[in-house]
């Protein structure tokens, strides 16, 4: 996604990488209208990643100027040290759960044997992939004695659970889940999973850009439909008249 018209003949575009589709349109509109972005860049380019390979390609190679990703991705690639990615804002940490439809899951080998468990097909997802696989390994369970079903999103996993395709899913608890699922039937796997983080490439002391980016992140987060994304904390927030 790009701004409709280029700002100038400046060939340097402001590249944004997102792993959350809901931010794409509001982010494009806000950044395309921001005076600092228009002054320093020729256009805005937004890419919405579909899988871990996309994230690897954009973060590991330092393609993006701004990215909304999990902190473990940036840490794993050493992107902060190599490309100067600096955390400028973060969304809340959360808990990971096993969620079932008709009973509370039990964290025991005997209970989970033969169960159909839905997880995410994203190896970098903590609540949907890393944490559940870690729990299963701790209980000495593997694909030979549990059925792992892979899905492309948390929403797809919930549909699979409701339709009876799986017995359990591994996910977070969303505020809207109470309308379709019972909180009685969730079992905590990990109480503090790191939330999504916004990283800005700060290879120079471009404080105007940092302030502008934080202003936009705060504005587009407040307008999100998902409560989780509405709450954002700016890291070392700055005040700069030129960044308005």
């Amino acid at each position: 996604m790009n701004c409709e018209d280029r700002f100038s003949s400046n060939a340097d575009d402001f590249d944004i990488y997102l792993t959350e589709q809901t931010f794409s349109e509001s982010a494009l509109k806000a950044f395309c209208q921001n005076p600092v972005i228009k002054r320093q860049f020729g256009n805005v380019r937004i890419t919405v990643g579909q899988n871990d390979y996309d994230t690897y390609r954009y973060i590991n190679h330092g393609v993006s100027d701004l990215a909304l990703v999990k902190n473990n991705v940036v840490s794993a690639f050493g992107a902060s040290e190599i490309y100067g990615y600096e955390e400028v804002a973060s969304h809340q940490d959360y808990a990971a759960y096993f969620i079932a439809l008709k009973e509370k899951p039990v964290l025991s080998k005997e209970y989970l044997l033969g169960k159909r468990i839905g997880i995410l097909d994203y190896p970098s997802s903590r609540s949907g992939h890393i944490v559940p696989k870690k729990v299963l390994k701790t209980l000495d369970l593997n694909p030979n004695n549990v059925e792992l079903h892979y899905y492309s999103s948390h929403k797809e996993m919930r549909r699979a659970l409701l339709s009876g395709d799986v017995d359990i899913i591994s996910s977070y608890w969303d505020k809207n889940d109470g309308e379709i699922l019972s909180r009685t039937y969730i079992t905590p796997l990990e109480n503090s999973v790191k939330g999504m983080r916004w990283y800005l490439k700060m290879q120079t002391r471009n404080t105007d850009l940092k302030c502008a980016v934080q202003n936009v992140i705060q504005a587009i987060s407040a307008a999100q439909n998902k409560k989780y994304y509405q709450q954002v904390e700016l890291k070392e927030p700055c005040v700069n008249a030129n960044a308005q």
Side-chain angles (χ1 to χ4, degrees), residues 175-188:
K175 73 179 184 70
N176 297 319
D177 282 339
E179 299 174 6
I180 57 174
L181 299 166
S182 171
R183 198 175 179 91
T184 305
Y185 301 142
I186 66 176
T187 299

Side-chain angles (χ1 to χ4, degrees), residues 40-53:
Q40 296 191 11
F41 299 90
N43 204 340
V44 173
R45 181 188 297 114
I46 292 183
T47 300
V48 181
Q50 301 299 314
N51 50 49
D52 282 336
Y53 174 72

Side-chain angles (χ1 to χ4, degrees), residues 91-109:
H91 297 283
Q92 287 186 330
D93 296 348
Y94 55 94
Y97 300 96
F98 268 163
I99 303 173
L101 190 61
K102 298 179 181 179
E103 65 179 358
K104 185 179 180 69
V106 178
L107 298 184
S108 72
K109 184 174 183 178

Side-chain angles (χ1 to χ4, degrees), residues 5 21 25-26 33 51 64 72 77 79 85 102 115 159 170 179 182 185 189 213 228 233 236 244:
D5 299 307
Q21 176 72 43
E25 292 186 7
S26 58
Q33 294 176 347
N51 50 49
S64 303
N72 60 309
F77 297 150
Y85 280 115
K102 298 179 181 179
K115 288 288 194 295
R159 281 200 294 260
S170 181
E179 299 174 6
S182 171
Y185 301 142
L189 301 180
V213 165
Y228 173 74
E233 180 179 347
E236 299 178 0
Q244 301 305 313

Side-chain angles (χ1 to χ4, degrees), residues 75-89:
S75 299
F77 297 150
S80 295
E81 293 76 15
I82 299 172
Y83 300 109
Y85 280 115
E86 178 181 317
E87 183 183 323
V88 293

Side-chain angles (χ1 to χ4, degrees), residues 36-216:
V36 174
I37 299 296
K38 295 172 75 171
R39 185 165 62 242
Q40 296 191 11
F41 299 90
N43 204 340
V44 173
R45 181 188 297 114
I46 292 183
T47 300
V48 181
Q50 301 299 314
N51 50 49
D52 282 336
Y53 174 72
D54 290 340
T55 302
Y56 171 84
R57 195 154 53 98
Y58 280 86
I59 304 304
N60 188 45
H61 294 95
V63 175
S64 303
D65 297 295
L66 178 68
L68 174 63
V69 292
K70 296 287 184 66
N71 76 316
N72 60 309
V73 173
V74 175
S75 299
F77 297 150
S80 295
E81 293 76 15
I82 299 172
Y83 300 109
Y85 280 115
E86 178 181 317
E87 183 183 323
V88 293
S90 63
H91 297 283
Q92 287 186 330
D93 296 348
Y94 55 94
Y97 300 96
F98 268 163
I99 303 173
L101 190 61
K102 298 179 181 179
E103 65 179 358
K104 185 179 180 69
V106 178
L107 298 184
S108 72
K109 184 174 183 178
E110 293 73 23
Y111 176 82
L112 294 172
L113 275 172
K115 288 288 194 295
R116 300 168 300 165
I117 301 175
I119 66 173
L120 282 188
D121 194 17
Y122 279 67
S124 63
S125 171
R126 289 196 59 82
S127 65
H129 192 105
I130 297 174
V131 172
K133 281 200 166 183
K134 180 181 176 181
V135 169
L136 293 176
K137 184 177 180 180
T138 301
L139 295 173
D140 195 28
L141 290 165
N142 57 61
N144 294 321
N145 42 41
V146 295
E147 287 185 35
L148 293 181
H149 295 245
Y150 291 85
Y151 297 92
S152 62
S153 69
H154 290 277
K155 187 174 182 179
E156 278 193 17
M157 284 199 296
R158 281 160 171 75
R159 281 200 294 260
L161 180 63
L162 291 171
S163 64
D165 294 334
V166 292
D167 303 304
I168 298 168
I169 61 172
S170 181
S171 186
Y172 55 85
W173 182 259
D174 186 84
K175 73 179 184 70
N176 297 319
D177 282 339
E179 299 174 6
I180 57 174
L181 299 166
S182 171
R183 198 175 179 91
T184 305
Y185 301 142
I186 66 176
T187 299
L189 301 180
E190 187 172 310
N191 291 322
S192 184
V193 177
K194 294 294 184 183
M196 300 293 284
R197 303 289 195 262
W198 290 89
Y199 290 92
L200 176 66
K201 190 190 292 183
M202 288 287 287
Q203 293 178 314
T204 63
R205 293 172 59 84
N206 194 344
T207 54
D208 276 2
L209 179 61
K210 178 182 177 180
C211 292
V213 165
Q214 287 187 325
N215 288 340
V216 171

